[in-house]
Amino acid sequence: MSWLWLRCRVNFTMNIRCCQRNFCAASSPLVPVPLPSPMETHLWYLVPNEVKSDTLLNQYLELLSPCERENVFRMSGDQLRKRALLARALVRTTISRYQTNCQIHPRSLKFRKNIFGKPEVDWQDVDDRHLPPLHFNISHSSSLIACGVTMNSPIGIDVEEKQRKLKNNILAFARRYFSPYEVELLTAISDPEFQRQELIKLWTLKEAYVKALGRGFSAAPFKTFTIRFRTAMEGGIHVSGHRDSEAFDTVIDSFDDPKNLANNWQFALLDLAGSHYAAICTEKDRTAGGKGTLPMKLTVWRTIPFVEDECVSGTDAVVAIAGLT
Amino acid sequence: MASVTGTSISMASFKASLAPSSRVSTLRSVSLPINGKSFTPLRLRPARFRVSCSAKPETVHKVCEIVKKQLALPDDSAVSGESKFAALGADSLDTVEIVMGLEEEFGISVEEESAQSIATVQDAADLIEKLVEKKGSA
């Protein structure tokens, strides 16, 4: 991948003003997208193997801040560098699609971290002061990068390859990191492959929750909460068996949570692109009355920024497992 | 190793490109001038002497082995005390698996707060020795 050495000579005097002219240099401008409504979640994902062009990678590199570029080059090896680059390019291009009056150049976005280290957009530098705040969260495996976007709600997402194998014994891992309820649930599964799949799914849900909380891994250690499925219809708790995504509702039991704040959150779990489990956690819509949770309204796009976007909701690329309509 | 020299070369020429008189044609040479000082790729640099509560080399080595195993890196990959988990491609699941491996190897228990602050192999090794010492004196 010779492009990485060539791009070390990047020109820092490039004009960074918000300008339509810069878009013309790209293959095609980013397709603008309406803002998600307060109850909607958007998910954009990119498959690194689909990005092969050095020219395109260079275009992405030009979107990054100097600091982000340094971070990319600090990664060990070309594959990791490519992944780091694509992750930042995905975040920047995704957020810049959501615009009202002024077209935001992906390169002009600024980011900061909250006091716990969770990345967020720093809107102060954006010209259009009326731009409502978007929340985003990214996750990547070695073969897919995803970015979730919401309005007015914190969001956490996690993606893992369905085929991912643990180096440790599954139950030993579960005993170390999961709650007793979850360990029991996994122990009851006799088929090792199914057990492994359920562990990975549970992992993504728990990761998504902690990332949505945005207070760091230690603020909600995995052992201190349980994520389980509850049938919305019967109000009871079903441990295993066939999951109908319409009927099941993910519930958090948090042991340190006297005010039951854990139930402000809702989840979606899906089979993404045939290759990954993806979990999304957002705040529940508090205007919805009653104890039930409306299924998450999710729209999913597969993208190669500046090249193609494909809305894949309703296709084989998005198969609901739980929490979705 | 390719990854280490690759990183250091690109970092060096990345910084070098900011200087008007940088010579990027020196990409292939071993020693790259940065701010007038000679920059030696990491693997040729003599081991830096680290002051105070620093873990024994054997501990660092064991951590490197566990990390390489978890991340499926070849035996000869350049993993050292300075290696950052994130830069090696460890995601959160890798990290907790590594912590679990370290707990089993050293007979210790790592709390989430401590685990969260581990960024490099050296951080892990230092924490391990602190926990082993605490366990020994308990």
Side-chain angles (χ1 to χ4, degrees), chain A residues 228-301:
Chain A
R228 57 196 168 98
F229 297 95
R230 175 183 68 190
T231 51
M233 293 190 307
E234 297 172 43
I237 298 160
H238 284 234
V239 171
S240 59
H242 304 288
R243 290 207 186 97
D244 175 353
S245 71
E246 288 178 30
F248 282 82
D249 188 18
T250 38
V251 167
I252 305 174
D253 288 332
S254 181
F255 310 137
D256 300 325
D257 181 18
K259 292 184 197 161
N260 210 22
L261 291 171
N263 284 315
N264 288 343
W265 302 92
Q266 69 172 102
F267 294 84
L269 180 65
L270 43 135
D271 181 322
L272 186 64
S275 55
H276 284 71
Y277 295 127
I280 304 168
C281 178
T282 58
E283 261 179 356
K284 273 186 199 170
D285 178 17
R286 290 180 209 137
T287 61
K291 288 183 184 173
T293 307
L294 296 171
M296 192 182 288
K297 186 161 182 283
L298 177 70
T299 313
V300 185
W301 288 266

Side-chain angles (χ1 to χ4, degrees), chain A residues 24-70:
Chain A
C24 295
S27 317
S28 61
L30 292 166
V31 176
V33 177
L35 292 161
S37 72
M39 290 156 300
E40 263 189 295
T41 304
H42 288 179
L43 186 70
W44 297 80
Y45 73 90
L46 186 159
V47 177
N49 284 347
E50 290 178 4
V51 180
K52 297 188 203 0
S53 152
D54 283 359
T55 315
L56 191 55
L57 288 169
N58 286 332
Q59 269 179 257
Y60 294 155
L61 193 60
E62 283 177 28
L63 302 178
L64 271 51
S65 68
C67 186
E68 287 170 341
R69 260 176 278 221
E70 278 199 36

